[in-house]
Amino acid sequence: MSQSAPSLPTAAEPIVRFEGALAVLSLGAGEGRFTAESVAAIDSCLDEVLASAAVSLITTADSKIWCNGFDTGWLAANPDATVPTMLATERLFARLLTFPIPTVAAVGGHVFAGGVMLALSHDVRIMRADRGYVCLPEVDLGVVFTSGMTALLSATMTPSTAHRAMVLGHRFTPAEALAAGLVSEIAPLEELADRARAVATALGGRNREVVAGLKRRLYAPAVAELGATGPDPAMLAALYAAPA
């Protein structure tokens, strides 16, 4: 009798390590989903990075899934924590948008929903070339993005790409994601980590206050919206009903 493959852990299990002057944040070996605990843990990792002398940050994952967004099963089981968790996640996006060192997302697998927003909050995105999708499936889930999410997506995508991704729910292959500007480059999986290190190293060493100041001005409208207004009841209902 054949055995089914073991299921992946759902929530992100973030850990940060340092490779010389580079900080490497791993979302873990699961689906990288957002819960109250995982968002707080990512924030704690970023605190550790800021307290270090790291010149750049790489965010990676050890799974076929880079990040699958909110853990809808967890949200449904913890309704009192849903709104605070979603607001905290939006504030995490804002923090990454204005992080004072260059940030590189090394996307080695699928990235969906809130995971796309996490990736877009990085300065540079490098994706595995041969497989994986970038997709915002909210239209099929019956979810209307919050004002903060809309501001973030509008600030980091061209209008035509935003429409295709947000309204049409298109699943972008790596090549399509590159052509649409959702990722900066694509690379074979075996070269992804080295390429991310090379890019992060080349971008590092700039004044932190200047980098943060430039980002704050560039993304001021999105930062002002992120975490300011919670989801409406219709969005919550759709999330609770979404497949876990």
Side-chain angles (χ1 to χ4, degrees):
M1 181 181 295
S2 62
Q3 294 182 339
S4 60
S7 60
L8 294 172
T10 302
E13 299 175 334
I15 186 172
V16 65
R17 66 181 187 275
F18 295 90
E19 299 179 0
L22 302 180
V24 181
L25 169 64
S26 172
L27 299 175
E31 295 188 20
R33 295 198 185 209
F34 305 132
T35 65
E37 292 79 9
S38 68
V39 171
I42 295 171
D43 255 330
S44 180
C45 287
L46 295 182
D47 289 341
E48 192 173 346
V49 173
L50 286 183
S52 75
V55 300
S56 294
L57 169 69
I58 299 170
T59 303
T60 185
D62 304 314
S63 166
K64 64 182 180 181
I65 298 171
W66 190 78
C67 181
N68 239 349
F70 287 104
D71 188 331
T72 54
W74 184 91
L75 294 179
N78 297 271
D80 290 343
T82 295
V83 172
T85 299
M86 295 185 71
L87 292 174
T89 305
E90 289 196 14
R91 288 191 291 269
L92 174 65
F93 297 155
R95 186 180 191 189
L96 276 169
L97 271 179
T98 58
F99 210 59
I101 58 176
T103 56
V104 178
V107 181
H110 301 300
V111 56
F112 279 77
V116 176
M117 299 175 217
L118 180 68
L120 290 173
S121 298
H122 288 70
D123 297 313
V124 177
R125 294 161 296 284
I126 306 173
M127 188 176 184
R128 176 178 179 172
D130 64 323
R131 64 183 300 178
Y133 289 107
V134 178
C135 180
L136 294 169
E138 281 77 2
V139 64
D140 294 314
L141 299 176
V143 172
V144 176
F145 297 100
T146 67
S147 58
M149 294 173 182
T150 301
L152 166 61
L153 294 168
S154 299
T156 53
M157 293 190 284
T158 65
S160 60
T161 297
H163 183 90
R164 193 178 180 195
M166 298 169 69
V167 178
L168 303 183
H170 183 73
R171 286 191 176 202
F172 293 81
T173 65
E176 289 175 328
L178 177 64
L182 291 170
V183 298
S184 310
E185 57 183 276
I186 56 178
L189 179 61
E190 62 272 17
E191 299 175 13
L192 182 62
D194 285 342
R195 183 60 191 149
R197 291 188 194 97
V199 171
T201 298
L203 293 175
R206 291 168 168 131
N207 182 282
R208 286 189 174 190
E209 291 185 5
V210 172
V211 170
L214 290 168
K215 291 182 182 181
R216 282 195 296 268
R217 291 193 176 183
L218 179 62
Y219 296 114
V223 170
E225 292 286 350
L226 285 163
T229 305
D232 60 35
M235 180 181 190
L236 292 178
L239 287 173
Y240 292 152

